[in-house]
Each structure stands twice: as structure tokens, then as C-alpha cells.
Amino acid sequence: SVVRQMGGCRSPPHPQYLLEPLHTTVHTQRGATATLPCVLRALPRNYRVKWSKVEPANYRENIIIITNGLYHKNYGLLSERVHLRHSHRYDASLTITNVALEDEGRYRCQLVNGLEDESISLTLHLEGVVFPYQPSNGRYKFNYHEAKRACEQQDSRLATYQQLYKAWTEGLDWCNAGWILDGTVHYPIINSREPCGGRFLLPGVRSYGIRDKQKDKFDAFCFTSALQGQVYFIRGHLNFKEAGQACRNQGAAIAKVGQLYSAWKFSQLDRCDGGWLADGSVRYPITTPRQHCGGLPDPGVRSFGFPSKELRTYGTYCFEGK
């Protein structure tokens, strides 16, 4: 039959050179060293391995490193912190040192050998915490670029959708919509209620979709990870200027919002005392909820908002880097 004849003409399948990794997600924290696995079964002639990172904001692939097994060349912003592991001659795994917040995301290891290119995708996942953020002049004041800058100023970055979704599964319940990294706008709801889309909508991460990055104004959802240093509290009745000076007197800096969230998440910082932070807000971190510390049943970073900077009511949270 025709089918049999055609079947007899099939060329043998092209050999797969890249091993499928056991795990396609690598978990790490800021400041750590992480390795993304990419191992060859055999070495084809005249091959190259190209590592790149897929950026969620524009879906472009940024080349990180290219090797032919003998020589390699590094590219882009990551070039100072990456190298090939090379634990044996078939190993083209990528090692990233001093992992930064912006390293989170999807990476591609591509084998280019002139015949049939192969690639595997891996995800670098940072353990961390997502927090909603708005400026001192109220809600819905940020366009996308302002939201991105505001998170960076608070030792964090705009969260990805995956980070926001994970935070929702862990209890983040927030009625104000905020920008995330890919330029879309969302808000996570656990307890459905009238001001947040209605009582009869199911819980979930509600979406406003893609918005105009210049014109539309929302809050921000920021993400931060482990600290390279520590946050501590100085007791006192200090105004904002005195709070900053008190930290500097000890060789530290007044803590940023992201640093306080990180200390709460990773170092279990638990204090009932409101303290000034670098953006002029007053907050305090609670890991063991109790009645006289705000009365709320869940752990979290509580906020007194942005009081007058002249008030001498609060202490201060300081950050000392390693």
C-alpha cells in the first residue's frame, strides 16, 4: 500500500542531544548561587550552546552566554555573574552567582548544530514575599513606569503574575488594583465583598488586563526576597529626620519597605512598635498575632500610613548590610 511504501522511506529519528532535566524549576533566594541544568548526551560536531533569558515585559530573549565547548562569550547585564558549570565535558549548565531579584524568570538552553536545533526551558524561582504598595498621596497614583520605579526604590521589583498568584494562595487579600511586571493590572481577593467586585464573585486574582502604561494609574504589587543584612528597631520618640539620623549614627540606613517585609518573612522579625521607614511611612512586622498588636488574626506587616514627618511618636527600623 501507499502508506506502507511511505512508511518504508522514513529517515531514522534525529538523535536528541539535550537531556530533559529532572526538574524544570530551580528554587533559590536573593544573594544565593543557583545552577540551571543543561547536559548533553553526546557532543555533535561544530555545535554551540546558547543560553538566553525570556523577558516577560516584552517577550524578547536576551542572550546570556554562548559556548562551543572550548571557548565562551558572556553577554548583557548578567555577564558579570554567570559562568558555565563544566563539571564534565557534556555539562553546559549555567551558574548564576549572587542571585538578584531581576534574575527570576524563564531561561532557555539551546543547542545549535547546523542541522536541527534543540532547546530546553527552565524557570528560576526566587522565594520571597509580595506586598501592595501605594505612595503617600493616596491610591491609584502610579502609571506603569512610576510603579516599577517605586518598587525598585523600596528594595523590591514589580511582581510577576506567578508571584502574585502564589501570594494569593498564601493569603494575600487586597481590594486595590496594582501593576505587575508584564504591564497588566490585577488584585487578589480571598474574601469576596461588595467594594471588591461583589459578594457573589468567586475568590481569585481579578484582572483588569493590559492597561496603558503611560496614562492609566493604579497601585503596585512589589516582590522582594532574602536580605543580605539585617533589620532592627531603635526605640524612641523620633520625627522622620531624627529617625534617619539615629540609624546613620549606628552605621546603618533607615530601612526600606521591602527590607522590612523581607525581615518579617525570612527572619521572623516580630515587633509591636511602629517605626519610620525610608519612604516616610510607619509600619511594624507581626509574626505572632496578638490582641494588643493591631488585633488582626493573621501575621503581616501592619501600617500606620504616612503620618506627618514632624511627629515625635515612633521609633525607627534600620537596615545594616553585610
Side-chain angles (χ1 to χ4, degrees):
S1 74
V2 174
V3 174
R4 203 172 291 143
Q5 286 172 354
M6 288 181 69
C9 295
R10 283 194 189 127
S11 58
H14 184 71
Q16 273 202 316
Y17 286 105
L18 293 180
L19 278 172
E20 280 294 320
L22 278 175
H23 304 287
T24 56
T25 299
V26 173
H27 296 265
T28 188
Q29 294 179 354
R30 176 167 56 177
T33 295
T35 297
L36 298 165
C38 186
V39 177
L40 283 66
R41 295 174 195 271
L43 301 178
R45 290 201 315 178
N46 303 321
Y47 78 95
R48 285 180 300 146
V49 170
K50 178 173 78 173
W51 275 99
S52 54
K53 184 171 190 281
V54 183
E55 296 301 340
N58 52 25
Y59 301 104
R60 283 218 314 262
E61 286 201 18
N62 292 333
I63 297 173
I64 299 168
I65 197 166
I66 296 177
T67 181
N68 64 1
L70 294 173
Y71 307 103
H72 68 271
K73 185 169 183 189
N74 293 19
Y75 297 85
L77 297 173
L78 265 171
S79 63
E80 298 293 314
R81 295 188 289 112
V82 296
H83 62 269
L84 295 169
R85 183 173 62 182
H86 272 328
S87 59
H88 52 79
R89 65 197 191 103
Y90 300 104
D91 186 12
S93 302
L94 183 75
T95 296
I96 304 172
T97 59
N98 193 20
V99 169
L101 293 176
E102 58 270 20
D103 297 343
E104 166 110 4
R106 195 154 64 87
Y107 291 76
R108 198 154 80 103
C109 177
Q110 183 179 16
L111 176 74
V112 184
N113 69 349
L115 293 170
E116 195 173 318
D117 297 347
E118 293 175 36
S119 67
I120 55 170
S121 285
L122 298 126
T123 299
L124 187 67
H125 171 77
L126 269 71
E127 302 295 340
V129 57
V130 171
F131 60 94
Y133 189 74
Q134 56 183 225
S136 58
N137 56 345
R139 73 174 199 155
Y140 295 177
K141 301 294 184 184
F142 294 136
N143 69 22
Y144 172 82
H145 306 287
E146 290 162 344
K148 186 170 181 289
R149 193 158 55 246
C151 287
E152 288 164 0
Q153 287 169 349
Q154 294 311 312
D155 191 51
S156 58
R157 75 186 297 235
L158 278 175
T160 64
Y161 181 81
Q162 289 80 3
Q163 288 164 344
L164 182 62
Y165 185 88
K166 184 170 185 285
W168 168 71
T169 67
E170 293 170 351
L172 184 59
D173 181 86
W174 198 256
C175 212
N176 294 348
W179 292 102
I180 63 172
L181 188 61
D182 65 4
T184 57
V185 173
H186 307 267
Y187 63 103
I189 293 297
I190 288 171
N191 302 307
S192 298
R193 50 206 187 272
E194 276 310 323
C196 310
R199 280 182 299 141
F200 302 109
L201 273 181
L202 288 172
V205 178
R206 312 263 169 82
S207 177
Y208 284 19
I210 297 171
R211 310 302 286 195
D212 188 309
K213 289 182 178 180
Q214 295 288 355
K215 296 178 184 170
D216 289 331
K217 301 287 182 84
F218 296 97
D219 291 347
F221 286 105
C222 305
F223 171 83
T224 193
S225 185
L227 284 174
Q228 301 300 292
Q230 65 160 340
V231 171
Y232 61 92
F233 182 72
I234 294 179
R235 192 182 297 277
H237 298 284
L238 309 167
N239 64 28
F240 176 69
K241 190 174 178 184
E242 291 164 345
Q245 190 58 52
C247 292
R248 287 192 294 276
N249 288 347
Q250 298 197 1
I254 189 167
K256 298 176 178 180
V257 177
Q259 291 166 339
L260 186 66
Y261 268 93
S262 180
W264 165 74
K265 173 81 173 177
F266 290 98
S267 305
Q268 286 71 55
L269 186 62
D270 182 287
R271 284 212 68 112
C272 220
D273 308 278
W276 291 103
L277 295 176
D279 65 340
S281 65
V282 171
R283 305 174 198 246
Y284 62 102
I286 296 294
T287 54
T288 307
R290 45 217 187 267
Q291 196 55 46
H292 68 285
C293 297
L296 295 173
D298 299 314
V301 174
R302 319 274 196 246
S303 175
F304 286 119
F306 293 85
S308 163
K309 289 184 175 179
E310 301 308 313
L311 267 185
R312 283 197 169 93
T313 308
Y314 307 104
T316 183
Y317 288 96
C318 304
F319 172 71
E320 187 172 16
K322 277 185 182 173

